[in-house]
Structure formats: structure tokens, C-alpha cells
Amino acid sequence: MKYPRVLYLGGAPMVGKTTISRVIAARLQYGLISTDDIGAGIAAVTDPLSHPTFHYMENFDYREYYIARNNSELILDINNQHQELWPALLKLFENHSTWDSETIIEGWALRPSYVSKLTVDISGIFLLSEDSLIEKRIRANDFSVGSSGPEKMIQNYLERSLL
């Protein structure tokens, strides 16, 4: 069976994108790129004036960020970050679709409204799950340890992720 050069895997945080992408990449012997890594790379090589949304979250305690921001602010922040990230991801898709190395690109920033406009030869899926599974995975993660309000942090992260 012939697979496309570039596969994408999108979905909400904690739905299992990275886990499934790793399994598929290993089986198909594809490379694997995370949109989180691309965002971190952009922040590492740019300044706050050129890419403010990537530097907004520098030198801050993410645990307190989820407590201090309301849901509307959390959604606005992530929408801005995904929108700012998309040009780099678009270039990544275009480049990898012409290279000889096959790649999986995974991440929450791969929104249906973005990838549906791609004209290069790619295929992909969006993972969906019951809200209860995402909540269970969030609660099993220890990222709220050390926050001033672990339950509020988990609730805000969950509500933002599910939207």
C-alpha cells in the first residue's frame, strides 16, 4: 500500500495524538514532528516584537497561568498562537510533501479549518474522544502539582481543551 509523504494527526490536548503518532511513525518508519516543537523553535529564534504570542508564555509559571486566566482569555491566547504558528506549519507541509523522507506532523494547532485548505498531497485524521477520557488523562498527569489551586487549574485547562 502506498502512503502519502506527509500524514497529519490533529485533535484536542490529551486525546492521544503524540502516543498514536509515535506508534504509526515507528510502524511506517516515518519521521515525526510535533507542532509544539515548532512553536518552541520559533520562540527560541525570534524576539517578542516579531512573534509576541510565542514569547507571551516565556518565563512564566504555566500552572498559575491556567489559574489566573479566565476561559475566554485562554481560548483567545491559544487561537492567537495557532494562527501565528500556521504559516510555519504550512511551509513545513509544503516542504515535506516534496522531500523523499516521509513525515507525520502532529498537534493541536492542526485545525480542520487550516488543513482543509492545503493543496499538497497529504492525508490525516483528527482524533476525537469522550470528554471523560480527556479529563481522566488530564487528572492522571502531574502538571498541576505545585500550583496554588490544582483543581481550578485542571478545570480551566479541561474547559479550554474541550472547546
Side-chain angles (χ1 to χ4, degrees), residues 2-7 30 95-104 121-123:
K2 184 177 179 332
Y3 297 102
R5 286 190 197 276
V6 180
L7 297 170
Y30 273 39
N95 287 343
H96 277 275
S97 70
T98 63
W99 295 353
D100 287 335
S101 59
E102 291 81 7
T103 305
I104 294 176
D121 182 29
I122 62 162
S123 285

Side-chain angles (χ1 to χ4, degrees), residues 35-93:
T35 62
D36 291 343
D37 293 340
I38 299 301
I42 290 171
V45 298
T46 61
D47 63 57
L49 294 176
S50 66
H51 290 82
T53 61
F54 292 103
H55 292 273
Y56 170 77
M57 297 173 71
E58 281 184 353
N59 302 319
F60 83 110
D61 184 339
Y62 70 90
R63 295 167 297 205
E64 299 309 312
Y65 166 79
Y66 284 103
I67 293 169
R69 308 283 282 172
N70 68 41
N71 216 7
S72 296
E73 293 168 325
L74 292 171
I75 295 294
L76 182 62
D77 290 346
I78 200 63
N79 284 342
N80 288 339
Q81 188 177 30
H82 286 176
Q83 185 174 8
E84 192 171 324
L85 182 58
W86 182 245
L89 295 176
L90 178 59
K91 194 67 175 168
L92 192 66
F93 277 109

Side-chain angles (χ1 to χ4, degrees), residues 112-158:
S113 60
Y114 293 162
V115 297
S116 66
K117 296 174 185 168
L118 290 171
T119 58
V120 295
D121 182 29
I122 62 162
S123 285
I125 60 170
F126 292 93
L127 296 179
L128 303 173
S129 77
E130 296 292 325
D131 293 357
S132 60
L133 173 66
I134 294 174
E135 181 173 3
K136 183 178 179 179
R137 293 191 74 186
I138 289 170
R139 290 187 180 282
N141 190 308
D142 64 355
F143 77 117
S144 65
V145 172
S147 72
S148 62
E151 187 56 34
K152 181 173 170 102
M153 181 193 165
I154 288 170
Q155 279 305 121
N156 284 353
Y157 184 89
L158 179 62

Side-chain angles (χ1 to χ4, degrees), residues 15-36:
V15 76
K17 297 177 301 296
T18 302
T19 302
I20 292 172
S21 294
R22 287 178 180 158
V23 170
I24 294 170
R27 286 209 178 151
L28 298 179
Q29 297 182 343
Y30 273 39
L32 177 58
I33 299 171
S34 169
T35 62
D36 291 343

